[in-house]
Amino acid sequence: MTTPPKDPQIQEDPRIEAAAARVKEGVQKRAVAYAPPPWQPIWKRPRKPLTKAQKKERLRKQRERLQAAGRRRFFARQSRRPRPTKNRIGSAATRRDARALSRLRHSSAWQ
């Protein structure tokens, strides 16, 4: 934006000029005083202390998150646990008997 050329017939009032200069100075001082702080990464900024209510709310949400995660882990473990169709733990004698019975069952004797 360009300023219009000054009209030589208009006389400038020194009081207006002085007031304008004071206003400009004030504006510059306020700009320096209220300038935004220099940029800092988030982890270096000072932390605002939380109120008690905010702390309790944060802890409640954290507890809910952890409990939900525990439930998910529990049910994931349940679904993955191997469930053998036969119980493979037993004495050698019972295994031998079962082997003999299965041989008998697959033979032509069961007819």
Side-chain angles (χ1 to χ4, degrees):
M1 186 170 157
T2 60
T3 57
K6 292 188 178 181
D7 191 358
Q9 292 179 348
I10 299 174
Q11 290 183 347
E12 296 173 357
D13 189 357
R15 291 176 298 179
I16 293 175
E17 293 297 321
R22 282 196 307 273
V23 167
K24 275 186 184 176
E25 269 181 42
V27 166
Q28 287 172 348
K29 282 182 183 174
R30 281 192 297 279
V32 168
Y34 295 108
W39 184 85
Q40 284 184 328
I42 288 176
W43 60 89
K44 286 193 176 178
R45 291 180 196 161
R47 292 185 186 165
K48 266 194 296 185
L50 298 176
T51 63
K52 281 190 179 183
Q54 288 172 326
K55 282 183 197 171
K56 284 184 180 179
E57 178 70 15
R58 181 188 273 183
L59 285 172
R60 186 177 64 75
K61 285 186 177 178
Q62 182 184 15
R63 192 165 50 247
E64 284 174 8
R65 261 198 329 268
L66 290 172
Q67 286 172 349
R71 279 191 292 271
R72 280 195 307 272
R73 279 193 210 105
F74 175 76
F75 286 112
R77 220 173 17 243
Q78 292 292 95
S79 67
R80 247 193 334 243
R81 186 175 350 146
R83 291 184 180 82
T85 51
K86 299 176 198 162
N87 185 6
R88 290 178 173 80
I89 301 170
S91 67
T94 52
R95 281 202 304 275
R96 264 196 310 276
D97 291 347
R99 205 174 293 131
L101 279 173
S102 77
R103 282 197 190 110
L104 191 63
R105 197 170 60 234
H106 293 299
S107 70
S108 57
W110 287 111
Q111 286 180 4

